[in-house]
Amino acid sequence: MLTDIRSLLPEELTAVCKEMGLPAFRAKQIFRWLHVDCVDSFDEMTNLSLKLREELQARFEIFNCTIENKQVSVYDSTVKYLFRLHDGEFVESVLMKYKYGYSLCVSSQVGCRMGCTFCASTLGGVVRSLTASEILAQIIAAQKDALVRVSHVVMMGMGEPLDNYDNTLRFLQLASHADGLNLSMRNISLSTCGIVPNIYRLAEEKLQLTLSVSLHAPNDALRSSMMPVNKKWNVDTLLASCREYIEKTSRRISFEYSMVRGVNDSDDCARELAKKLKGMLCHINLIPVNAVDETGCVGSTPQRVQQFAAILESCGLTVTVRRTLGADIDAACGQLRKKKMKGE
Ligand code: SAH
């Protein structure tokens, strides 16, 4: 197996170059080609000799992703990409334009094994996790195609990032590296359904990113019925890890609450939620659930969402309602799915 070179951290690349008898500046040049110029092949590394390029080619592999399909929203110019990975698997990413710049929603796995009842990404289970370079490649491919710089990244696409912990952490280190894409950690959000041991691990990294936690329900009975992960780590266990995360990083947590009509959107749910989160350094993001045919879940009405938000606010919590982008191209939260050549 050839080594996936774009997943190597600068110090690892330096070590490999040393092993090959190359001076340290070569590692810097190669890192730059991979992470700033974002080339697709060793042939494009024109300040390296042909012999060296051949040596690299024999030892390493550059994982690129190619655009299999692309849909552009007529409402808001949101772009949904279907990317093909080197082994023929597919993942989706969504490019959104905001006042502050371009944000890309990236996938961390092909499919997902978390089984949330309202989500399309988990319908076929998980095929495999992505390497760090495959997560990066989504940013690189979107930037090249749209001719823009992606300044914000949300790990909210297909997959559970904390079920792919090592590659996710490596991706974060590479994407934010000053010699690479140089994304600000503060412009990166990582969303998790609540893999508690890995929330504790991430807390130790003390990163400046925004941790989003998919809560969706204030008690165990309701949360377990929507999210199987809750049977392993329940609401109180999850919230304890969130408190520790806040303590360690001094960063505010963003709780996501996808509202399913008649399921988790009652006034009582709002009051119970407010009680659970009281005193925490947090923010609540309400998302009227987006329709996915197979799930049968229907989003709460705008009036219900407003009323729910009002209760939380009256209890002193900070709340926003997520705007839906790309509604006409199934690009909204929970609608990304594993697509096959057969053409789903
Ligand atoms: N696995 C991670 C990240 C991917 S999903 C997580 O669970 O957080 C990103 C967000 O979209 C999560 O909050 C998820 O619960 C939510 N989501 C999934 N399906 C949805 C749907 N149909 N409508 C609205 N939000 C949904």
Side-chain angles (χ1 to χ4, degrees):
M1 260 265 285
L2 302 180
T3 305
D4 164 15
I5 192 169
R6 217 187 328 245
S7 285
L8 298 180
L9 294 165
E11 52 276 22
E12 294 169 333
L13 193 57
T14 307
V16 183
C17 283
K18 199 168 169 196
E19 218 183 281
M20 293 171 72
L22 299 171
F25 77 89
R26 285 285 177 225
K28 269 195 174 314
Q29 284 177 324
I30 298 169
F31 193 82
R32 197 181 161 80
W33 281 120
L34 293 168
H35 294 269
V36 177
D37 304 301
C38 301
V39 295
D40 295 332
S41 68
F42 293 106
D43 288 340
E44 293 164 74
M45 301 184 176
T46 48
N47 59 0
L48 308 183
S49 70
L50 181 61
K51 183 168 160 284
L52 177 53
R53 279 183 262 155
E54 282 169 357
E55 265 177 65
L56 293 172
Q57 180 87 54
R59 200 171 169 141
F60 300 106
E61 191 156 20
I62 304 177
F63 284 165
N64 299 303
C65 58
T66 54
I67 301 174
E68 181 73 14
N69 190 17
K70 171 181 158 183
Q71 285 170 274
V72 184
S73 166
V74 295
Y75 298 150
D76 49 43
S77 303
T78 294
V79 187
K80 183 171 77 173
Y81 292 103
L82 176 66
F83 289 124
R84 186 196 175 93
L85 306 175
H86 65 97
D87 62 352
E89 292 294 343
F90 297 100
V91 289
E92 291 190 325
S93 311
V94 179
L95 182 67
M96 294 158 285
K97 189 178 180 181
Y98 289 98
K99 281 194 210 82
Y100 51 72
Y102 284 88
S103 177
L104 191 72
C105 177
V106 296
S107 293
S108 56
Q109 296 180 313
V110 179
C112 184
R113 62 182 181 130
M114 294 300 133
C116 299
T117 53
F118 43 86
C119 181
S121 299
T122 199
L123 288 169
V126 72
V127 176
R128 67 174 178 86
S129 285
L130 301 190
T131 66
S133 76
E134 287 176 317
I135 308 175
L136 272 174
Q138 297 167 57
I139 305 177
I140 293 171
Q143 289 195 147
K144 280 189 189 172
D145 175 67
L147 300 174
V148 298
R149 175 172 188 262
V150 169
S151 58
H152 292 64
V153 170
V154 293
M155 298 194 78
M156 293 189 185
M158 291 159 55
E160 167 50 49
L162 296 189
D163 188 36
N164 182 19
Y165 186 86
D166 294 341
N167 292 324
T168 292
L169 192 63
R170 190 172 270 273
F171 159 74
L172 294 169
Q173 288 165 335
L174 286 167
S176 63
H177 201 285
D179 297 336
L181 286 178
N182 198 16
L183 279 165
S184 162
M185 271 290 183
R186 288 186 172 256
N187 293 354
I188 302 180
S189 295
L190 185 157
S191 183
T192 179
C193 64
I195 312 279
V196 165
N198 288 344
I199 294 180
Y200 282 108
R201 273 170 88 189
L202 192 66
E204 295 300 329
E205 297 293 333
K206 297 188 171 54
L207 303 177
Q208 290 299 295
L209 55 74
T210 300
L211 182 66
S212 296
V213 174
S214 301
L215 193 54
H216 305 330
N219 61 59
D220 287 332
L222 195 51
R223 192 165 190 269
S224 293
S225 75
M226 300 169 73
M227 305 176 72
V229 69
N230 195 69
K231 293 174 194 152
K232 189 142 188 194
W233 297 290
N234 69 10
V235 174
D236 287 344
T237 310
L238 173 60
L239 292 181
S241 73
C242 292
R243 287 196 187 89
E244 170 84 3
Y245 188 91
I246 295 166
E247 177 76 31
K248 282 266 155 73
T249 62
S250 304
R251 298 283 294 164
R252 173 190 297 253
I253 285 190
S254 172
F255 286 106
E256 289 156 285
Y257 197 99
S258 294
M259 299 181 64
V260 188
R261 193 180 300 184
V263 174
N264 63 350
D265 63 352
S266 67
D267 289 355
D268 279 350
C269 280
R271 283 190 281 266
E272 200 179 347
L273 181 65
K275 218 167 134 193
K276 282 271 174 206
L277 300 183
K278 206 170 168 61
M280 260 174 111
L281 181 65
C282 70
H283 167 102
I284 302 168
N285 198 211
L286 300 177
I287 317 165
V289 95
N290 297 299
V292 171
D293 280 350
E294 295 90 327
T295 69
C297 294
V298 183
S300 306
T301 61
Q303 296 87 315
R304 188 87 290 271
V305 176
Q306 286 315 318
Q307 169 71 6
F308 198 91
I311 295 176
L312 296 175
E313 277 168 351
S314 72
C315 297
L317 291 160
T318 327
V319 188
T320 47
V321 178
R322 184 170 301 170
R323 199 156 58 100
T324 294
L325 292 176
D328 54 333
I329 53 169
D330 283 349
C333 294
Q335 295 182 324
L336 305 186
R337 53 174 74 212
K338 175 167 73 79
K339 287 189 183 154
K340 290 259 167 62
M341 284 303 277
K342 286 177 221 134
E344 247 165 57

